[in-house]
Amino acid sequence: MKHAAVLGASGYTGAEAVRLILGHPMLKLKALTAYSRAGEVYSDVFRNFEGQDLPPLVTADEVDWDLIDVVFACLPHGASQETIAKIHDRVETVIDLSADFRLADPELYAKTYGRPHEFTELLSERVYGLAEYSRDKLLGAKLVACPGCYPTCSMLAVLPALEAGLIDPDRIIIDAKTGVTGAGRKATLNFAYSETADGAQAYGIGNHRHAPEMDQAIADFAGKVSTVRFTPHLIPMNRGMIATCHVELTDDTSISNLREAYVERYTDEPFVHVLTEGQVPQTRHVRGSNHCQIGIFADRATGSAVIVSVIDNLTKGSSGQAIQNYNLTQGWDETLGLKGVGVFP
Amino acid sequence: MKHAAVLGASGYTGAEAVRLILGHPMLKLKALTAYSRAGEVYSDVFRNFEGQDLPPLVTADEVDWDLIDVVFACLPHGASQETIAKIHDRVETVIDLSADFRLADPELYAKTYGRPHEFTELLSERVYGLAEYSRDKLLGAKLVACPGCYPTCSMLAVLPALEAGLIDPDRIIIDAKTGVTGAGRKATLNFAYSETADGAQAYGIGNHRHAPEMDQAIADFAGKVSTVRFTPHLIPMNRGMIATCHVELTDDTSISNLREAYVERYTDEPFVHVLTEGQVPQTRHVRGSNHCQIGIFADRATGSAVIVSVIDNLTKGSSGQAIQNYNLTQGWDETLGLKGVGVFP
Amino acid sequence: MKHAAVLGASGYTGAEAVRLILGHPMLKLKALTAYSRAGEVYSDVFRNFEGQDLPPLVTADEVDWDLIDVVFACLPHGASQETIAKIHDRVETVIDLSADFRLADPELYAKTYGRPHEFTELLSERVYGLAEYSRDKLLGAKLVACPGCYPTCSMLAVLPALEAGLIDPDRIIIDAKTGVTGAGRKATLNFAYSETADGAQAYGIGNHRHAPEMDQAIADFAGKVSTVRFTPHLIPMNRGMIATCHVELTDDTSISNLREAYVERYTDEPFVHVLTEGQVPQTRHVRGSNHCQIGIFADRATGSAVIVSVIDNLTKGSSGQAIQNYNLTQGWDETLGLKGVGVFP
Amino acid sequence: MKHAAVLGASGYTGAEAVRLILGHPMLKLKALTAYSRAGEVYSDVFRNFEGQDLPPLVTADEVDWDLIDVVFACLPHGASQETIAKIHDRVETVIDLSADFRLADPELYAKTYGRPHEFTELLSERVYGLAEYSRDKLLGAKLVACPGCYPTCSMLAVLPALEAGLIDPDRIIIDAKTGVTGAGRKATLNFAYSETADGAQAYGIGNHRHAPEMDQAIADFAGKVSTVRFTPHLIPMNRGMIATCHVELTDDTSISNLREAYVERYTDEPFVHVLTEGQVPQTRHVRGSNHCQIGIFADRATGSAVIVSVIDNLTKGSSGQAIQNYNLTQGWDETLGLKGVGVFP
């Protein structure tokens, strides 16, 4: 058994990490931290944990880090690197769910997040953990940067085609839709029920922070140069994310070739499922689970295709993949603690 | 390991049973039956099971029942008793989730469900499994009738007070609200999204079939005669049920007395949680779990109180309690397979 | 044409008032005020007004009140009385949508709202405008207090029976459910989408501020003493309110008598509709309209009944009734500006 | 006053037509037809019309068409052309909301809708009524084909750029999202609340019937050849449609040029509003109204842009535009009966 701490347990990704750790056979939850809500009983912060035996919610300074094996850092970017810098020497493994260690280039980080990276030496050691593409590097890793939810959903959709040279890396348009939990647990008018229910909208058009991360993933995992055109939308659901990827096939590539490449690439993956022809992925079928479903379709114009990927933004898009990554650092079966299927309906 | 079959696996309670059995350490799923959808791959019927290793969906006649230990019958009433009559001798235990064995009196059954009960000899052997009140009878039971979702939610709310003589059994008004999955998986205009979203309504006022079952539970578990006034509502959510019980305290009973009785009654229960004063139960906090949360409040008029109970109608209100009941028949830890907390948000 | 101003136009009831005034043949919108958002273009505050010719959003001090005939005050209580006290002498009519002038008794106001009433001389002049019960007093009224949303919905449901002596005033239990817009336009975690969608909860149990107002309405309009037992719930919809009233019939009263009393009482009402036997009111059918639908049902226990009433909390429950009340003060057809039917689905 | 009939009044577009006609100062509703529900009182079919004075619901054969001036045909394709063929000689104007007269080429119709067009002589006379682009042809038109909801939303978004030669007609990708009412009023499992709420999915990928209609509109209104790549999605809301158009600018075109073209094109349009820079259109702001809001954004890749358009699929996307088109056939102010702003929230 390893001893786990969740940093930033008062947010949604923190709570999802706690939920999953409670069901993990090799993890024991030893510490929960929060900033403004430290001192509260955890089930008062998230009532779904009523009746569970959980550590109290404390500040990061109150934790004896030498007793902790693994930290799941669910903090905002900026706060995350600062806290990790303080504690990473005292624990075996840090799994960071924030954006702080996703971008390898500190200048790109500064440009994207509007502040310099202050721990570049840590940055150079980190492993970017898109689980299905990072397995070899994750074994034994000490600091893992978990991908953003949009990059996870989108890259699982386009990387097999890019690896195999079946689509044009210069012409990738990703039109994504997310549930509201992606915005975090905040008192913000924009995310009030009355402003969010029964309607839809795009946001962050042309400048979302996850776009440079996608370009990086395409370069790192498929060796291709790309400037992904990325438009996210906010739609009225709690959890769930769908990436609709509009792509163009390279010469002589057929939809059958494309489908075959995906089936082959993902056939042994426990969490990524390529649906059979004509089946349409739906976010509701992966709700609360670490699964991803992918559908592949011909578009009308010759040589064009649509690849659709769905995940739960809080699970595979965040805390579920974090657990999966940790399992891989330990050389464990990567499905430990993640065997639950989607809660549908 | 016991071998389990789910009858009626193409409905929502069937799918929830399958989901829970997959996570149960002592159960192995051996057969899945359906009527109109027999022959289909189960993950084509419920896409959330994509990638799981599951038996094919067959008709009940195609199953070799001698290889099955326990049957979870998730069929409509009528069909359930017919199928159970055929197979109960060939299996160890039958857990029936339908209404067929809930009412002990066949005449009341006939009046309530509009058709005679055809297997009254089975009826006399069945155990009514409101888990927290039926434990002693469940051990070794061969045929368990699981309560309806409304009786489960409502009786957990009122029985402690009735047992202790703290409220007037003649003056119980239960105003309940359920999510749409309670209607089952059907193509019905009434439950179409456009007819159900962003609005609310009562239904079955004064004549809902679960009301006589509540009277029976109050008689059996608390020894009191009652004609519960029961009004259910349909509200726009998938899962979840809230029973708001308007009650009148007996002479000399205070709200403190009432609260104490609940805390005492449920203090050791793994799935029933009495919230501290002022805390309000919310259905979203028990979503996908077998938990029930209860709040107790003084009303404005002297001597009146409000007891609020929330469950997930598909889990504690149906398939979760079914598993809990089966655990109890076997003398196992009743939380086996049910340790998951609510999936929130 | 009368010149209208909306005070507090940056809230939901303010925006609904603006929407309705734009469609009113005898009103011209001349001023819109807000506090924190003064200076903004109104369509930047509520984008649904894009393309409309509207006055700028200013502070109350910037308005020349001598040019205004009627003020619709959509301010929070407290702020409302202060502003009205300053301007009521300069305009013909004030229609107050806040709670400030609802309770006739300043001591009850102080107890209920936690602050003394500071303009009791105004209070004594005000007319409480439950339109269907206040017509005779509304003609020529200078200051109208519009009822709360819950009292409007609930009193329309119980007053005919109370007036006719058909139900016991001591035994009225109102279990109400509202959409989220009832909470106003606020950045509050409690009303964030992720905390409000796909779930339900009660709130304000036993101490909601609208309960004393209901007792007052029962006394004033039906001459009966009552302590209404009132429990509101928050459910996941934008607009809409349902009051499920659990009542007890007086001796010799039948459900037919009850129904007849309602049909007779409301037969000429343009906005209140008693549904035929068996029809169930649904909030979605009155969405965006000033209509109320009422259903009457026998409960199971002898002598008990359920009366269900639905309105749109922002329209009949607030700004729609405010317009209706103003029409009545002027002796106009009370449906002016309110002819729109519910926007369904 | 003109006398109007609504054919197919038991569907959602029929009900929306009825709602709008009731508020139209120059139209009087004289007949309502339906097939399976003929004989019912209309307010029993759509309860939001309770209390309105409406004609009975009859079959088309029961109507004396000589008394009708204008027919709004809200029938399924196929049924629509058959009925129109029978009655068009007896009325002044037919406004068809079905797909039957949208495609000018009967062979394309046959290929797209899987059945031959049987009234090609009528087809050759019809006017395709995308109101903002068809005004000159609509005046005096006898048979108007109203565009599909997706073509309306999408073409308003891309036509100004195509007319001005600012985007490449060969590279238009439209990723659209619709509310569930777009599927019509049907008892279908796919559109049940539990299968549609809290989740999202694409559908009709690569082969949706509205795509050829878009190609036709681009050819007719902008004189360009295009094979639009079109992917619609179903998201959990009642009304609303968003078209996210991913386009590529022609050489030397800047985002400013693009924006200017839209502002200029739509500046005098009563229903189409180009939002100022940075403002994001949201479907909820046009709910229940005939308005369209458009936003224009630079994408990340040089020379690419995103144009976002939102409408209410039942109003501007269907019955609202139908009324607008009829107003134009009569030479009336096209906003008659359509002045209502969006019902928000």
Side-chain angles (χ1 to χ4, degrees):
Chain A
M1 294 291 278
K2 295 285 186 178
H3 289 182
V6 174
L7 284 174
S10 61
Y12 290 142
T13 55
E16 184 74 349
V18 171
R19 181 175 79 86
L20 295 169
I21 290 168
L22 285 179
H24 194 294
M26 300 290 281
L27 286 176
K28 179 133 190 61
L29 196 56
K30 285 294 185 179
L32 295 174
T33 83
Y35 183 69
S36 64
R37 306 197 68 169
E40 292 191 53
V41 172
Y42 195 61
S43 61
D44 284 350
V45 176
F46 284 106
R47 191 82 68 209
N48 50 326
F49 293 100
E50 191 73 36
Q52 303 297 314
D53 183 27
L54 289 173
L57 205 52
V58 298
T59 63
D61 292 342
E62 296 175 86
V63 177
D64 182 350
W65 294 103
D66 298 327
L67 303 178
I68 301 297
D69 299 305
V70 54
V71 171
F72 293 91
C74 303
L75 297 167
H77 64 88
S80 196
Q81 57 180 273
E82 284 173 29
T83 309
I84 289 171
K86 285 185 202 158
I87 66 173
H88 79 282
D89 280 345
R90 299 176 61 188
V91 302
E92 276 181 18
T93 315
V94 174
I95 309 290
D96 184 27
L97 287 80
S98 86
D100 273 346
F101 296 95
R102 289 175 190 160
L103 298 175
D105 176 358
E107 287 185 31
L108 183 58
Y109 177 87
K111 187 178 159 200
T112 306
Y113 289 94
R115 44 170 293 160
H117 201 292
E118 297 176 32
F119 304 93
T120 50
E121 72 292 354
L122 277 174
L123 190 55
S124 60
E125 294 169 19
R126 73 77 166 108
V127 171
Y128 181 81
L130 182 62
E132 285 73 14
Y133 291 84
S134 308
R135 281 196 188 94
D136 51 346
K137 294 194 175 163
L138 281 167
L139 182 62
K142 299 298 183 194
L143 173 57
V144 177
C146 295
C149 48
Y150 285 122
T152 298
C153 191
S154 306
M155 292 302 103
L156 290 174
V158 297
L159 284 177
L162 287 164
E163 283 180 310
L166 304 180
I167 61 171
D168 183 347
D170 263 355
R171 296 203 164 278
I172 298 174
I173 294 176
I174 298 174
D175 189 294
K177 301 90 192 168
T178 190
V180 187
T181 53
R185 196 182 212 199
K186 289 188 280 210
T188 314
L189 183 56
N190 281 353
F191 302 111
Y193 183 91
S194 308
E195 306 282 325
T196 312
D198 203 45
Q201 68 191 96
Y203 72 98
I205 308 170
N207 58 21
H208 194 280
R209 287 163 164 176
H210 285 181
E213 186 185 336
M214 294 190 207
D215 294 349
Q216 171 187 281
I218 289 171
D220 288 354
F221 296 123
K224 299 292 194 305
V225 176
S226 179
T227 302
V228 169
R229 289 161 60 186
F230 173 60
T231 303
H233 297 74
L234 183 72
I235 63 176
M237 58 187 186
N238 277 323
R239 290 162 175 255
M241 172 168 285
I242 181 167
T244 307
C245 306
H246 305 276
V247 298
E248 300 191 17
L249 302 175
T250 47
D251 290 348
D252 304 325
T253 299
S254 70
I255 281 286
S256 301
N257 300 149
L258 191 66
R259 168 175 299 283
E260 282 157 22
Y262 279 73
V263 169
E264 187 174 338
R265 176 62 181 83
Y266 289 135
T267 191
D268 293 328
E269 288 295 342
F271 295 120
V272 185
H273 312 286
V274 181
L275 301 186
T276 57
E277 201 177 331
Q279 290 183 338
V280 178
Q282 304 188 22
T283 61
R284 54 185 67 81
H285 294 144
V286 296
R287 187 189 296 134
S289 85
N290 201 51
H291 292 275
C292 171
Q293 297 191 6
I294 293 178
I296 293 159
F297 305 86
D299 205 341
R300 298 174 75 223
T302 309
S304 63
V306 180
I307 308 167
V308 181
S309 166
V310 298
I311 62 170
D312 182 320
N313 57 302
L314 289 182
T315 318
K316 182 60 175 169
S318 188
S319 305
Q321 182 165 239
I323 302 280
Q324 185 183 2
N325 281 338
Y326 180 62
N327 288 340
L328 288 165
T329 67
Q330 303 302 302
W332 297 340
D333 171 358
E334 72 191 82
T335 69
L336 287 185
L338 300 170
K339 293 186 195 294
V341 300
V343 178
F344 172 80
Chain B
M1 293 292 278
K2 295 285 185 178
H3 289 183
V6 175
L7 285 174
S10 61
Y12 291 142
T13 56
E16 184 74 348
V18 172
R19 182 176 78 85
L20 294 170
I21 290 169
L22 285 179
H24 194 294
M26 301 289 281
L27 287 175
K28 179 130 190 64
L29 196 56
K30 284 292 184 181
L32 295 173
T33 83
Y35 183 70
S36 64
R37 306 196 67 169
E40 292 191 53
V41 172
Y42 195 61
S43 60
D44 284 350
V45 177
F46 284 106
R47 191 82 68 208
N48 50 324
F49 293 100
E50 191 72 35
Q52 303 297 313
D53 183 26
L54 289 172
L57 205 52
V58 298
T59 63
D61 291 343
E62 296 175 87
V63 177
D64 182 351
W65 294 104
D66 299 326
L67 303 178
I68 301 296
D69 299 304
V70 55
V71 172
F72 293 92
C74 303
L75 296 167
H77 64 88
S80 196
Q81 56 180 273
E82 284 174 28
T83 309
I84 289 172
K86 286 186 200 155
I87 66 172
H88 78 282
D89 280 345
R90 301 176 61 188
V91 301
E92 275 180 18
T93 316
V94 173
I95 309 290
D96 184 28
L97 287 80
S98 86
D100 272 348
F101 297 95
R102 289 177 190 158
L103 297 175
D105 175 359
E107 287 185 31
L108 182 58
Y109 177 87
K111 188 179 158 197
T112 306
Y113 290 94
R115 42 171 295 160
H117 202 291
E118 297 176 30
F119 304 94
T120 50
E121 72 292 353
L122 277 173
L123 190 54
S124 61
E125 294 168 20
R126 73 82 165 103
V127 172
Y128 181 79
L130 183 61
E132 285 72 14
Y133 291 84
S134 309
R135 280 195 190 95
D136 51 346
K137 294 193 175 163
L138 283 166
L139 183 62
K142 298 298 184 196
L143 172 56
V144 177
C146 295
C149 47
Y150 285 122
T152 298
C153 191
S154 305
M155 292 302 103
L156 291 175
V158 298
L159 284 177
L162 287 164
E163 282 179 312
L166 304 181
I167 61 172
D168 183 348
D170 263 354
R171 295 203 165 277
I172 298 175
I173 294 176
I174 297 175
D175 189 295
K177 300 92 192 168
T178 190
V180 187
T181 52
R185 196 183 212 198
K186 289 187 282 212
T188 315
L189 184 56
N190 281 353
F191 302 111
Y193 184 90
S194 309
E195 306 282 324
T196 313
D198 203 45
Q201 67 191 98
Y203 71 99
I205 309 172
N207 57 22
H208 194 280
R209 286 163 164 175
H210 284 180
E213 185 185 337
M214 295 190 207
D215 294 349
Q216 172 187 282
I218 289 172
D220 288 353
F221 296 124
K224 301 289 194 307
V225 176
S226 180
T227 302
V228 167
R229 288 161 59 187
F230 173 60
T231 303
H233 296 74
L234 183 71
I235 63 176
M237 58 187 187
N238 276 324
R239 290 160 174 255
M241 173 169 285
I242 180 166
T244 307
C245 307
H246 306 275
V247 297
E248 300 192 18
L249 303 176
T250 48
D251 291 348
D252 303 325
T253 299
S254 69
I255 280 287
S256 300
N257 301 148
L258 191 67
R259 170 175 297 283
E260 281 157 24
Y262 279 73
V263 169
E264 189 175 336
R265 176 63 182 82
Y266 289 135
T267 190
D268 293 329
E269 288 295 343
F271 294 120
V272 186
H273 312 285
V274 181
L275 301 186
T276 57
E277 201 178 331
Q279 291 183 339
V280 178
Q282 305 188 21
T283 62
R284 55 185 67 80
H285 294 144
V286 297
R287 185 190 298 133
S289 85
N290 201 51
H291 292 274
C292 171
Q293 298 190 6
I294 293 178
I296 293 159
F297 305 87
D299 205 340
R300 297 174 75 223
T302 310
S304 63
V306 180
I307 307 168
V308 180
S309 166
V310 298
I311 62 170
D312 182 320
N313 56 302
L314 288 182
T315 319
K316 182 62 176 168
S318 187
S319 306
Q321 182 165 238
I323 302 281
Q324 184 183 2
N325 282 338
Y326 180 62
N327 289 339
L328 288 165
T329 66
Q330 303 302 301
W332 297 340
D333 171 358
E334 72 191 84
T335 68
L336 287 184
L338 299 170
K339 293 186 196 293
V341 299
V343 178
F344 172 79
Chain C
M1 294 291 279
K2 296 284 186 178
H3 289 181
V6 174
L7 284 174
S10 61
Y12 290 141
T13 56
E16 184 73 350
V18 171
R19 181 175 79 85
L20 295 170
I21 290 169
L22 286 179
H24 195 294
M26 300 289 281
L27 287 176
K28 178 133 190 61
L29 196 56
K30 284 293 184 180
L32 295 174
T33 83
Y35 183 70
S36 64
R37 306 197 66 168
E40 292 191 52
V41 171
Y42 195 61
S43 61
D44 284 349
V45 176
F46 283 106
R47 191 82 69 209
N48 49 325
F49 293 100
E50 191 72 36
Q52 303 297 313
D53 183 26
L54 289 172
L57 204 52
V58 297
T59 63
D61 292 343
E62 296 175 86
V63 177
D64 183 350
W65 294 103
D66 298 327
L67 304 178
I68 301 297
D69 298 305
V70 55
V71 172
F72 293 92
C74 303
L75 296 167
H77 64 87
S80 195
Q81 56 180 273
E82 284 174 28
T83 308
I84 289 172
K86 285 185 201 157
I87 66 173
H88 79 282
D89 280 344
R90 301 176 61 189
V91 301
E92 274 180 19
T93 315
V94 174
I95 308 291
D96 185 28
L97 288 79
S98 86
D100 273 347
F101 296 95
R102 290 175 190 159
L103 298 176
D105 175 358
E107 286 184 33
L108 182 58
Y109 177 87
K111 188 178 158 199
T112 305
Y113 289 94
R115 42 171 294 159
H117 202 292
E118 297 176 32
F119 304 93
T120 50
E121 72 292 353
L122 278 174
L123 190 54
S124 60
E125 295 168 21
R126 73 82 166 99
V127 171
Y128 181 80
L130 183 62
E132 285 73 15
Y133 291 84
S134 310
R135 281 196 188 94
D136 51 346
K137 295 194 174 161
L138 282 166
L139 182 63
K142 299 297 183 195
L143 173 57
V144 177
C146 295
C149 47
Y150 285 122
T152 297
C153 191
S154 305
M155 292 303 103
L156 291 173
V158 298
L159 285 177
L162 287 164
E163 283 180 309
L166 304 180
I167 61 172
D168 183 347
D170 263 356
R171 295 202 166 277
I172 298 175
I173 293 176
I174 298 175
D175 189 294
K177 301 91 192 167
T178 190
V180 188
T181 52
R185 197 182 212 199
K186 289 188 280 210
T188 315
L189 184 56
N190 281 353
F191 302 111
Y193 183 90
S194 309
E195 306 282 324
T196 313
D198 203 45
Q201 68 190 97
Y203 72 98
I205 308 170
N207 58 23
H208 193 280
R209 287 163 163 175
H210 285 181
E213 185 185 338
M214 295 190 207
D215 294 349
Q216 172 187 281
I218 289 172
D220 288 354
F221 296 123
K224 300 290 195 308
V225 176
S226 180
T227 302
V228 168
R229 288 162 60 186
F230 173 60
T231 304
H233 296 74
L234 182 72
I235 64 176
M237 58 187 188
N238 277 324
R239 291 161 174 255
M241 172 168 285
I242 181 168
T244 308
C245 305
H246 305 275
V247 298
E248 301 192 16
L249 302 175
T250 48
D251 290 348
D252 303 325
T253 298
S254 70
I255 281 286
S256 301
N257 300 150
L258 191 67
R259 170 176 297 283
E260 282 157 23
Y262 279 73
V263 169
E264 188 175 338
R265 176 62 181 83
Y266 289 135
T267 190
D268 293 329
E269 289 294 344
F271 295 120
V272 186
H273 312 285
V274 181
L275 301 185
T276 57
E277 201 177 331
Q279 290 183 339
V280 177
Q282 305 189 21
T283 63
R284 55 185 69 79
H285 294 143
V286 297
R287 187 189 297 134
S289 85
N290 201 51
H291 291 275
C292 171
Q293 297 191 6
I294 293 177
I296 294 160
F297 305 87
D299 205 341
R300 299 173 74 223
T302 310
S304 63
V306 179
I307 307 167
V308 180
S309 166
V310 299
I311 62 170
D312 182 320
N313 57 302
L314 288 182
T315 319
K316 182 61 175 168
S318 188
S319 305
Q321 182 165 237
I323 302 280
Q324 185 183 2
N325 282 337
Y326 180 62
N327 288 340
L328 288 166
T329 67
Q330 303 302 301
W332 297 340
D333 171 358
E334 71 192 83
T335 68
L336 287 184
L338 300 170
K339 293 186 197 293
V341 300
V343 178
F344 171 79
Chain D
M1 294 292 278
K2 295 285 186 179
H3 289 182
V6 175
L7 284 174
S10 61
Y12 290 142
T13 56
E16 185 73 351
V18 172
R19 182 176 78 85
L20 295 170
I21 290 169
L22 285 179
H24 194 293
M26 301 289 282
L27 287 176
K28 180 132 188 63
L29 196 55
K30 284 293 184 181
L32 296 173
T33 84
Y35 184 69
S36 63
R37 307 196 68 170
E40 292 191 53
V41 171
Y42 195 60
S43 60
D44 284 349
V45 177
F46 284 106
R47 191 82 70 210
N48 49 325
F49 293 100
E50 190 73 35
Q52 303 297 314
D53 183 26
L54 289 172
L57 205 52
V58 298
T59 64
D61 292 342
E62 296 175 87
V63 177
D64 183 350
W65 294 104
D66 298 325
L67 303 178
I68 301 296
D69 299 304
V70 56
V71 172
F72 294 91
C74 303
L75 296 167
H77 64 87
S80 196
Q81 57 180 274
E82 284 174 28
T83 308
I84 289 172
K86 286 184 201 158
I87 66 173
H88 78 283
D89 280 343
R90 300 176 61 189
V91 300
E92 276 180 18
T93 315
V94 173
I95 309 290
D96 184 27
L97 287 79
S98 86
D100 273 346
F101 297 94
R102 289 176 190 159
L103 297 175
D105 176 358
E107 288 185 30
L108 183 57
Y109 177 86
K111 187 179 159 200
T112 306
Y113 290 94
R115 43 170 293 159
H117 202 292
E118 297 176 32
F119 304 93
T120 49
E121 72 291 354
L122 277 174
L123 190 56
S124 61
E125 295 168 21
R126 72 79 165 106
V127 173
Y128 182 80
L130 182 63
E132 285 72 14
Y133 290 85
S134 309
R135 280 195 189 96
D136 51 346
K137 295 194 175 162
L138 283 167
L139 183 62
K142 298 298 184 195
L143 172 57
V144 177
C146 295
C149 48
Y150 285 123
T152 298
C153 191
S154 305
M155 291 302 103
L156 291 174
V158 298
L159 285 177
L162 287 164
E163 282 180 311
L166 303 181
I167 62 171
D168 183 347
D170 263 355
R171 296 203 165 276
I172 298 175
I173 294 176
I174 298 176
D175 189 295
K177 300 93 192 167
T178 191
V180 187
T181 52
R185 197 182 212 199
K186 290 188 280 211
T188 315
L189 184 57
N190 281 353
F191 302 111
Y193 183 91
S194 309
E195 306 282 325
T196 312
D198 204 45
Q201 68 191 97
Y203 71 98
I205 308 171
N207 59 21
H208 194 281
R209 287 163 164 175
H210 286 181
E213 185 185 338
M214 295 190 207
D215 295 349
Q216 172 186 282
I218 289 171
D220 288 353
F221 295 123
K224 301 289 196 305
V225 176
S226 180
T227 303
V228 168
R229 289 161 59 186
F230 173 60
T231 303
H233 296 74
L234 182 72
I235 63 176
M237 57 187 187
N238 276 323
R239 290 161 174 254
M241 173 170 284
I242 180 167
T244 307
C245 306
H246 305 276
V247 298
E248 300 191 18
L249 303 175
T250 47
D251 291 347
D252 303 326
T253 299
S254 69
I255 281 286
S256 301
N257 301 148
L258 191 68
R259 169 175 297 283
E260 282 157 23
Y262 279 73
V263 169
E264 188 174 338
R265 177 64 181 80
Y266 289 135
T267 190
D268 292 328
E269 289 294 343
F271 294 121
V272 186
H273 312 286
V274 181
L275 301 186
T276 57
E277 200 177 331
Q279 290 183 339
V280 178
Q282 304 188 22
T283 62
R284 53 185 69 80
H285 294 143
V286 296
R287 187 190 296 134
S289 85
N290 200 51
H291 291 276
C292 171
Q293 298 191 4
I294 294 178
I296 293 159
F297 305 86
D299 204 341
R300 297 174 74 223
T302 309
S304 64
V306 179
I307 307 168
V308 181
S309 166
V310 298
I311 62 170
D312 182 320
N313 57 302
L314 288 182
T315 319
K316 181 61 174 168
S318 187
S319 305
Q321 182 164 239
I323 302 280
Q324 184 183 1
N325 282 338
Y326 180 62
N327 288 340
L328 288 165
T329 66
Q330 302 303 300
W332 296 340
D333 171 359
E334 72 192 83
T335 68
L336 287 184
L338 300 170
K339 293 186 195 293
V341 300
V343 178
F344 172 79

